[in-house]
Amino acid sequence: MPTGNTAAGVRARKGEAEPLVMVTAYDAPSARAAAAAGVDVILVGDSLGMVVLGYDDTLHVTMRDMVTHTAAVARARPPQLVVADMPWTSFHLGAAGAQRNAARLVRAGAGAVKLEGGAKRLEVVRAILDLEIPVMGHLGLTPQSVHVMGGFRVQGRGTSAARAIVEDAVALSEAGCFALVLEGVPAQVAKEVTTTVPVPTFGIGAGADCDGQVLVFHDIVGWSGAQAPRFVRRYADLEGLATQAVSQWASDVRARRFPTPSETYH
Ligand code: KIV
């Protein structure tokens, strides 16, 4: 069953036996599917840049994109908490700008925002919380740091890198984040964070010991190209089904089997 549609409801489920479930959605149809599937949280991730808009990274995603797609998800009226990602540069240029951008996402329909980064983002996290907007943190492989990381690489390998992630997680939870995403980190690091912080962790490529799991909608349904990372499990081949459906329709048109009289206004 989905958790109540508040950040506090999600926060309160820390430590429950049943893991939390979060999935991305970027438009009304994917939001309807996620809602009907009964997930706990819907994330309008800035992965939309790569998954839907065709960019090679998330750095091209703008506030305008995030507002448009958050509003599309919200118009499906999912009962779940909708979390909207703060895109690159929307929270890096000062607390006041971050507050304005977080407010735009809430006005578009989000009940919380997510932002990438650890200790150096604490001031911004506090400023957004000061506006009464719940914040979800995001640590480990943070795609907006792709150039600094030298690619989309697993983070937190080695003792000092692992310790830094645990310290960042503690700092974010103490600052007031209601949940944390742990992306692309060794399972041992995710487990250490999960047992240390008092807020739920959502893992993606972070092993089985987080409080919950998050995946990209298009990866689950098989609509994101041929190659999927090892942490993805595909449950359908929508890309194949869509290609098949369109090519059947094209053959029917070319063979004059479409439209029939019953598909025509008389
Ligand atoms: O943008 C996104 O989809 C995300 C998830 C991968 C957690 O941040």
Side-chain angles (χ1 to χ4, degrees):
M1 284 296 289
T3 309
N5 63 349
T6 65
V10 173
R11 162 78 182 77
R13 286 189 54 191
K14 172 75 182 181
E16 281 189 3
E18 185 174 82
L20 288 154
V21 179
M22 177 160 74
V23 69
T24 66
Y26 313 107
D27 53 20
S30 54
R32 277 199 303 272
V39 302
D40 296 302
V41 184
I42 293 178
L43 171 66
V44 189
D46 65 351
S47 53
L48 91 90
M50 299 172 78
V51 176
V52 172
L53 303 181
Y55 295 120
D56 289 335
D57 56 45
T58 59
L59 304 180
H60 296 82
V61 177
T62 62
M63 269 305 296
R64 196 173 169 178
D65 294 329
M66 290 308 304
V67 166
T68 300
H69 288 269
T70 300
V73 166
R75 281 194 287 270
R77 301 203 176 283
Q80 289 87 353
L81 173 68
V82 174
V83 180
D85 242 338
M86 298 202 61
W88 186 55
T89 69
S90 72
F91 61 95
H92 306 71
L93 308 175
Q99 286 177 314
R100 264 195 304 277
N101 287 324
R104 283 180 68 192
L105 293 171
V106 169
R107 288 199 175 115
V113 298
K114 173 167 85 57
L115 59 86
E116 297 182 8
K120 68 179 172 185
R121 303 295 168 212
L122 288 180
E123 190 197 334
V124 158
V125 167
R126 290 196 190 100
I128 296 171
L129 288 168
D130 199 44
L131 269 191
E132 319 298 347
I133 299 174
V135 180
M136 177 181 277
H138 184 158
L139 294 170
L141 194 174
T142 46
Q144 291 172 13
S145 315
V146 59
H147 294 307
V148 174
M149 293 183 304
F152 298 108
R153 296 169 189 282
V154 172
Q155 301 294 302
R157 286 201 161 124
T159 315
S160 64
R163 191 175 303 127
I165 291 176
V166 178
E167 286 170 5
D168 279 347
V170 170
L172 288 173
S173 68
E174 285 177 350
C177 285
F178 73 94
L180 301 174
V181 167
L182 301 175
E183 177 169 358
V185 296
Q188 296 84 341
V189 177
K191 184 174 184 182
E192 179 67 18
V193 171
T194 301
T195 52
T196 305
V197 297
V199 298
T201 58
F202 287 89
I204 174 162
D209 293 311
C210 296
D211 296 298
Q213 295 289 325
V214 50
L215 276 184
V216 164
F217 179 91
H218 291 66
D219 286 339
I220 297 173
V221 302
W223 207 338
S224 53
Q227 278 284 333
R230 67 186 276 181
F231 57 79
V232 165
R233 189 178 296 175
R234 283 198 161 151
Y235 290 85
D237 175 24
L238 284 205
E239 196 154 331
L241 283 176
T243 305
Q244 201 180 28
V246 175
S247 72
Q248 279 173 9
W249 175 70
S251 314
D252 284 349
V253 169
R254 290 182 183 128
R256 298 193 179 278
R257 287 190 297 266
F258 178 91
T260 59
S262 68
E263 289 158 330
T264 304
Y265 295 112
H266 300 285

